[in-house]
Amino acid sequence: MAAFAELERLNPAQREAVLHTGGPLLILAGAGSGKTRVITAKIAYLIREHGVDPRSILAVTFTNKAAAEMRARSSAMEPAAADVMIRTFHSFGAWLLRRNAAAAGLDRGYSIYDDDDVVSLLRTIYRDEHRGTLGGYARLISRAKDYGLRPGDDLSAISSDPELAGIYGSYQRRLDEIGNVDFGDLILKPVELLRSDEAIRRRTRQRYRFVLVDEYQDSNVAQYELLKQLCDETTYLCVVGDDDQSIYRFRGAEVRNILTFSESFPRTTIIKLEQNYRSTGPILELASSVVRHNLGRLGKTLWTDRAGGQEPTVALLRDQDEEVDYCLDLITREPGETAILYRTNAQSRLFEQALIRAGIPYRIVGSLRFYEREEIKDALAVLKLCANPRDEVSFRRIVNKPARGIGTKSLETVADLLSGCAGDLLEATEAAAAELSRKAGASALAFVSIMRRARQSLGRGKLSEFTESLVRELGLWELHAEGRDPIVAGSKVENLEEFVNAASLYPATGEGLAEFLELVELDRSREADETLDAEVTLITMHNTKGLEFDRVIVTGLEEGLFPRGGDEDPDEVEEERRLFYVAVTRARDALYLTSCSYRRLHGRVMELVPSRFLNEIPAELVHEATTGHRRLTGGVTDEYPVGSAVYHDDYGMGVVASSRHNGTDLVVQVRFETGRVATFLPRYTPLEKVSGDDW
């Protein structure tokens, strides 16, 4: 009776979802609505109350951790659930391929290539191509496979690069010749196998009569196609997800999979889980008020039976230094579990610095501490060697990075000459050049020349300009910018830019350089150990998925930072708005949102305007704390509410996709019936408002 006992603990919507049988089921599960409890209870219920053979149930999710949790919780309710096939999409694909290796054209002992292996294989084909360039192609090939595309298909949606199809084709032929697969093939090859082999398709469908998918909003096109091949009209299909929490488009996730589920699988029942067990009412109202501006959503409204709750606060601050002080004041004045959220990893530096100096233990989730990141250690080594040419540790770190042909033997030659050069590594390297190979000798002299010119230029300008110029000239900036994964490479560049920002407060003099390096080393030496019981967590918004905290501070809410970029891609803006929704719904009891008038970016102080997401919050839902620099525009955007119909003489009829104030003007984005999206300043370009009947 364990399943019945679990049913008693469910709310009406959760219970309806567990008891549902028949056609396809979409469980639209809002943030904090107990979706894991529902899907695990459903597995146990099917086995215990309907006598379903656990071996006929397939449950898929996206991480090994989630799969393990699903297995543990369902087995605790019904021990027979231990026999259910619970895997990630990729794990299931690998299992299916090994089981049917011959039919898939593979040996059962095939290997799976990771990202590094893919780039290495490309290098065997294109030996003269830069590794960073090949890394970019590896990423595009992976994205093509996420969309179920092979080299002969139209790849224009992936990239306009005319070389992609040829490179993808050459890579795939070599991979097939070797007999191995990459991660994209773990989904795409099973799709092709099931599509082409009727016997295997029939056998697989007969084996798995019940298919359940968790976090369906994170599925890509190829995973959707796999699901289509696994299911026929007699398969019981249940997917659980939240269209408002689809935030991994950059990884290939396709929100349309969940938005069009009912069209893809006829007779679908939709059950909405809207009761939230995490946050207070005021926090949920704020989250809903913003995310409802998205056009691409099925729609739901979160609610809670938790009484009371403090009003969320919007703090409008002068700059990032005041932002850090504001956060630190909250933490010291009212101690307790606090998460500081930011859009990019680079934003963590100032918070780390302040927490270290205040002696407040903290932990960083999903990334290294700022000064422990590879690209920052490289930049620091450059400055240290510039300050002290006897610094052998720094010298060895960067003299052959990026590769200049100065290997171990070359370094031994330099070391042999050190004593005669009073320990000056630049002088010893120059002396050793004549004894090295032609390539290594030329590279050594070029390296010395760059470092000496840098040392001679000290005394002019800002240390930020000096640092960026030197790191770029040595090739380190390009090395990290052209990494094999563009997402990681972009983060590394942002971190280097933040390092340059940190140096912008100092002059490019010997004294300024020494002072800056001293500050960095003191902060590093005082870094608190990461502890599980640290009350303060530093974390990017993407990494908060599935987590919750008593108090959440969402920082950096300015146009260009969050949301990033401009208005050119409405889908990107909608994804950023979903990311905002995810961020604020991590808060249990208290929510603070901060925005700065000025921020140091790219080594310069830039004036910014509040994020459009702040202006989409009704004024009555927040307490506004300001130091007098500015105020939110509030209801100005109601003049052209999202979803309202408008007419333009040149473009015709359209619907308002977004409406915000940029500090001086109202900015309205319209999606026209032709499919075109355009942005207007109604102050200068009239938009005629029309009724819904006219549209």
Side-chain angles (χ1 to χ4, degrees):
M1 299 297 290
F4 277 119
E6 182 64 24
L7 286 177
E8 295 302 315
R9 291 192 282 269
L10 302 178
N11 66 40
Q14 292 173 330
R15 192 177 303 117
E16 181 186 1
V18 170
L19 296 176
H20 176 273
T21 56
L25 173 64
L26 167 59
I27 303 175
L28 203 59
S33 62
K35 70 173 181 62
T36 304
R37 171 183 289 183
V38 170
I39 196 169
T40 52
K42 191 169 186 68
I43 291 172
Y45 181 78
L46 286 170
I47 297 169
R48 178 176 286 271
E49 304 304 326
H50 284 269
V52 172
D53 183 346
R55 292 168 297 181
S56 70
I57 301 175
L58 169 64
V60 292
T61 186
F62 286 85
T63 67
N64 290 322
K65 180 181 177 181
E69 181 183 4
M70 194 185 300
R71 186 178 299 108
R73 292 179 64 167
S74 58
S75 298
M77 296 180 217
E78 170 52 60
D83 291 329
V84 173
M85 173 75 85
I86 302 178
R87 292 176 178 262
T88 65
F89 266 107
H90 288 92
S91 174
F92 174 73
W95 175 87
L96 190 66
L97 287 179
R98 292 201 192 277
R99 186 180 177 85
N100 302 281
L106 296 167
D107 185 90
R108 283 181 63 88
Y110 69 80
S111 295
I112 301 169
Y113 278 4
D114 62 15
D115 292 344
D116 278 340
D117 296 328
V118 171
V119 177
S120 295
L121 184 57
L122 281 167
R123 291 195 76 182
T124 67
I125 306 170
Y126 302 97
R127 297 181 184 278
D128 297 329
E129 197 60 74
H130 191 280
R131 185 178 179 89
T133 301
L134 294 178
Y137 280 114
R139 175 77 177 180
L140 292 175
I141 291 170
S142 175
R143 177 59 63 88
K145 291 187 177 185
D146 286 344
Y147 280 87
L149 301 174
R150 285 301 191 187
D153 296 322
D154 180 5
L155 301 176
S156 59
I158 306 299
S159 172
S160 59
D161 188 337
E163 302 294 323
L164 175 59
I167 293 173
Y168 182 4
S170 298
Y171 163 79
Q172 193 63 47
R173 282 191 295 274
R174 181 66 63 85
L175 186 62
D176 291 340
E177 289 169 2
I178 295 170
N180 288 335
V181 300
D182 57 26
F183 272 89
D185 284 333
L186 293 180
I187 306 298
L188 192 47
K189 279 188 177 291
V191 170
E192 294 168 342
L193 177 66
L194 293 170
R195 191 181 283 155
S196 61
D197 194 313
E198 183 180 352
I200 294 176
R201 182 172 66 250
R202 186 188 315 115
R203 185 172 69 242
T204 305
R205 287 176 174 177
Q206 288 173 347
R207 164 80 186 268
Y208 298 111
R209 308 305 305 143
F210 299 82
V211 178
L212 298 90
V213 184
D214 193 17
E215 301 286 7
Y216 186 63
Q217 79 281 345
D218 293 337
S219 62
N220 60 38
V221 172
Q223 289 160 343
Y224 160 79
E225 291 295 337
L226 178 58
L227 202 58
K228 290 284 285 186
Q229 293 303 318
L230 288 171
C231 301
D232 60 21
E233 63 278 359
T234 66
T235 307
Y236 180 74
L237 174 62
C238 169
V239 303
V240 185
D242 183 2
D243 52 336
D244 290 332
Q245 294 190 75
S246 179
I247 59 173
Y248 297 120
R249 187 173 181 233
F250 64 93
R251 294 181 186 166
E254 181 51 76
V255 69
R256 288 178 181 81
N257 287 354
I258 194 169
L259 297 179
T260 61
F261 183 82
S262 297
E263 301 168 23
S264 301
F265 299 94
R267 301 182 298 110
T268 289
T269 298
I270 299 178
I271 297 176
K272 299 181 181 181
L273 304 185
E274 298 175 298
Q275 183 174 359
N276 177 282
Y277 293 92
R278 176 187 301 149
S279 308
T280 63
I283 292 171
L284 297 179
E285 284 187 67
L286 184 149
S288 296
S289 72
V290 174
V291 79
R292 70 168 57 105
H293 284 77
N294 275 358
L295 300 180
R297 65 188 299 259
L298 296 172
K300 62 185 174 306
T301 302
L302 296 180
W303 62 276
T304 181
D305 57 10
R306 288 183 62 186
Q310 72 179 58
E311 195 175 53
T313 296
V314 175
L316 302 175
L317 308 166
R318 175 176 291 278
D319 54 29
Q320 71 263 51
D321 296 322
E322 193 170 271
E323 180 180 56
V324 169
D325 290 343
Y326 179 82
C327 294
L328 203 62
D329 180 63
L330 282 176
I331 293 166
T332 54
R333 182 161 38 88
E334 300 175 19
E337 184 187 51
T338 302
I340 299 176
L341 278 55
Y342 34 79
R343 182 64 180 82
T344 68
N345 277 313
Q347 290 168 257
S348 72
R349 182 187 66 84
L350 288 177
F351 294 112
E352 289 184 67
Q353 197 174 64
L355 291 166
I356 290 168
R357 292 175 181 174
I360 298 174
Y362 70 95
R363 63 187 178 118
I364 295 184
V365 175
S367 66
L368 294 170
R369 295 175 183 274
F370 186 80
Y371 290 114
E372 293 305 314
R373 292 163 184 160
E374 178 191 16
E375 62 278 12
I376 301 305
K377 283 186 170 182
D378 290 344
L380 271 172
V382 168
L383 295 186
K384 286 180 178 180
L385 184 61
C386 191
N388 177 15
R390 297 180 181 83
D391 186 340
E392 188 172 353
V393 172
S394 296
F395 172 79
R396 287 181 175 273
R397 183 178 184 92
I398 63 166
V399 70
N400 198 40
K401 192 174 186 180
R404 300 183 176 89
I406 306 174
T408 304
K409 289 186 178 179
S410 298
L411 291 176
E412 289 175 358
T413 304
V414 172
D416 290 341
L417 297 171
L418 264 182
S419 59
C421 299
D424 188 315
L425 287 153
L426 298 181
E427 187 176 335
T429 302
E430 186 176 45
E435 300 181 29
L436 306 180
S437 68
R438 180 178 297 180
K439 179 182 178 182
S443 296
L445 290 175
F447 176 79
V448 171
S449 176
I450 292 171
M451 293 303 299
R452 281 190 170 156
R453 283 201 308 271
R455 285 170 55 80
Q456 290 165 4
S457 70
L458 282 172
R460 299 189 295 273
K462 291 184 177 180
L463 188 59
S464 55
E465 297 165 353
F466 173 88
T467 299
E468 180 171 351
S469 175
L470 182 52
V471 171
R472 284 185 182 277
E473 194 171 2
L474 286 170
L476 287 167
W477 197 288
E478 183 182 11
L479 174 71
H480 294 299
E482 293 189 353
R484 60 182 176 273
D485 185 334
I487 304 301
V488 173
S491 179
K492 286 177 177 288
V493 169
E494 288 168 350
N495 290 334
L496 285 171
E497 289 176 342
E498 181 56 29
F499 184 73
V500 169
N501 285 338
S504 67
L505 301 177
Y506 301 85
T509 62
E511 293 77 10
L513 176 58
E515 188 178 349
F516 175 61
L517 289 174
E518 180 181 314
L519 174 76
V520 170
E521 290 308 313
L522 285 174
D523 282 343
R524 291 177 68 187
S525 68
R526 291 184 299 196
E527 281 184 345
D529 291 334
E530 286 192 12
T531 56
L532 294 177
D533 58 352
E535 290 191 336
V536 179
T537 299
L538 303 180
I539 186 169
T540 64
M541 297 177 200
H542 277 102
N543 280 328
T544 61
K545 186 82 175 295
L547 302 178
E548 56 187 70
F549 307 90
D550 291 342
R551 174 170 56 196
V552 166
I553 310 172
V554 183
T555 64
L557 280 159
E558 300 110 32
E559 285 293 309
L561 185 58
F562 188 43
R564 306 176 76 178
D567 301 316
E568 55 278 359
D569 189 341
D571 290 337
E572 291 285 355
V573 173
E574 294 213 348
E575 172 132 333
E576 292 278 283
R577 189 176 283 111
R578 292 194 293 270
L579 183 57
F580 177 84
Y581 170 86
V582 167
V584 301
T585 54
R586 301 308 96 193
R588 296 189 192 99
D589 305 314
L591 174 66
Y592 296 84
L593 310 171
T594 67
S595 178
C596 300
S597 297
Y598 303 93
R599 189 174 290 274
R600 285 191 298 276
L601 296 170
H602 317 297
R604 299 185 300 274
V605 175
M606 301 180 69
E607 185 173 6
L608 303 169
V609 298
S611 167
R612 70 193 72 184
F613 303 150
L614 292 179
N615 285 317
E616 290 169 355
I617 304 170
E620 65 272 15
L621 295 185
V622 295
H623 165 68
E624 189 173 311
T626 178
T627 51
H629 307 300
R630 58 180 178 173
R631 297 186 64 81
L632 295 177
T633 55
V636 174
T637 57
D638 290 339
E639 185 179 350
Y640 289 90
V642 172
S644 60
V646 295
Y647 176 80
H648 186 275
D649 287 339
D650 294 330
Y651 302 130
M653 299 293 291
V655 172
V656 175
S658 70
S659 179
R660 64 184 177 84
H661 206 274
N662 68 2
T664 56
D665 292 301
L666 181 63
V667 181
V668 177
Q669 185 184 75
V670 180
R671 183 178 285 127
F672 291 96
E673 59 183 340
T674 60
R676 176 167 183 173
V677 176
T679 301
F680 303 93
L681 301 179
R683 175 179 171 187
Y684 304 106
T685 307
L687 287 171
E688 181 182 347
K689 291 183 242 182
V690 296
S691 69
D693 295 336
D694 295 332
W695 172 243

